[in-house]
Amino acid sequence: MSETFDEATTLKRRTFVAASAAAAGGLPLLTPDRLPASRPAPADRLSTVRLTVNGEQRTARVDNRTSLLDLLREHLDLPGTKKGCDQGACGACTVLVDDRRVNACLTLAVMHQGARVTTIEGLARGEQLHPLQQAFIDHDGLQCGYCTPGQLMSGVACIAEGHTGSREEIREWMSGNLCRCGAYTNIVSAIEQTSKEA
């Protein structure tokens, strides 16, 4: 009797394992060409957002749930603002909204109707770098460069806000911007130099 039970149990286990392997192996991969088509948002969830971005009037019709970051990157073709954590913890998406630093991933685009937004693309004046951009180069304030747009935008705001009285004060006011490469000392030096020259 126990022999029959053991054989039946073994058979069931083998069948289960074989069926699971077959099912897993037979699942289609969800590559972009196989993803289900996303349905457009209903008209009552869409808004027309008008902003002045880097000195230029821009308009986009977006889902009300669209973040300012996604508006900039996906609708206005400004990929310089980086999507890091998408939770407001790393500062890679920092932009200036009416001259105040904002984590673009944490705020909805529709909340900034009529606002002036400055992104990393609007920092330089043509071929002439912003003084802080040049200072980042001079002090080697970047390595991989992924956090650099957010660091620069936050650094510009830090200088404008007058939080550059000491290296400690700069570190404190830049603490919302993470650099995984660890270029903090050089970033502080770049901000310090630029604030003295301003």
Side-chain angles (χ1 to χ4, degrees):
M1 180 111 168
S2 64
E3 232 175 82
T4 308
F5 176 76
D6 287 343
E7 286 173 16
T9 305
T10 303
L11 182 59
K12 287 180 184 174
R13 281 191 198 132
R14 285 185 186 147
T15 305
F16 173 76
V17 170
S20 297
L27 287 176
L29 294 175
L30 291 178
T31 55
D33 58 318
R34 290 186 177 170
L35 288 173
S38 60
R39 285 181 269 163
D44 64 340
R45 284 204 332 234
L46 296 174
S47 294
T48 301
V49 180
R50 291 178 181 83
L51 303 164
T52 302
V53 182
N54 301 327
E56 182 184 335
Q57 292 287 328
R58 303 294 298 268
T59 303
R61 189 145 173 87
V62 296
D63 186 304
N64 293 333
R65 299 166 296 174
T66 303
S67 69
L68 179 58
L69 175 61
D70 288 338
L71 171 72
L72 294 169
R73 290 180 58 84
E74 297 172 16
H75 298 274
L76 301 183
D77 196 28
L78 293 167
T81 304
K82 301 304 179 202
K83 184 177 277 200
C85 65
D86 216 16
Q87 298 174 356
C90 73
C93 66
T94 305
V95 296
L96 302 181
V97 177
D98 294 328
D99 298 323
R100 290 180 52 237
R101 51 180 140 177
V102 169
N103 287 340
C105 73
L106 290 184
T107 185
L108 298 174
V110 294
M111 295 171 61
H112 300 288
Q113 191 71 256
R116 288 178 297 108
V117 179
T118 306
T119 70
I120 190 66
E121 290 91 345
L123 212 51
R125 295 289 169 250
E127 296 296 313
Q128 182 181 357
L129 294 177
H130 184 281
L132 186 56
Q133 288 175 306
Q134 185 60 55
F136 263 61
I137 295 168
D138 295 343
H139 289 277
D140 200 18
L142 61 149
Q143 286 187 41
C144 80
Y146 195 83
C147 74
T148 305
Q151 296 278 2
L152 283 163
M153 300 311 296
S154 198
V156 166
C158 185
I159 293 167
E161 294 159 4
H163 298 301
T164 57
S166 67
R167 293 179 68 83
E168 291 72 26
E169 185 179 16
I170 294 169
R171 276 195 288 273
E172 176 67 27
W173 286 92
M174 290 295 293
S175 63
N177 291 77
L178 302 182
C179 173
R180 288 176 174 85
C181 299
Y184 295 114
T185 301
N186 299 349
I187 290 169
V188 170
S189 296
I191 294 169
E192 187 178 43
Q193 174 191 305
T194 307
S195 69
K196 287 176 180 173
E197 292 173 352

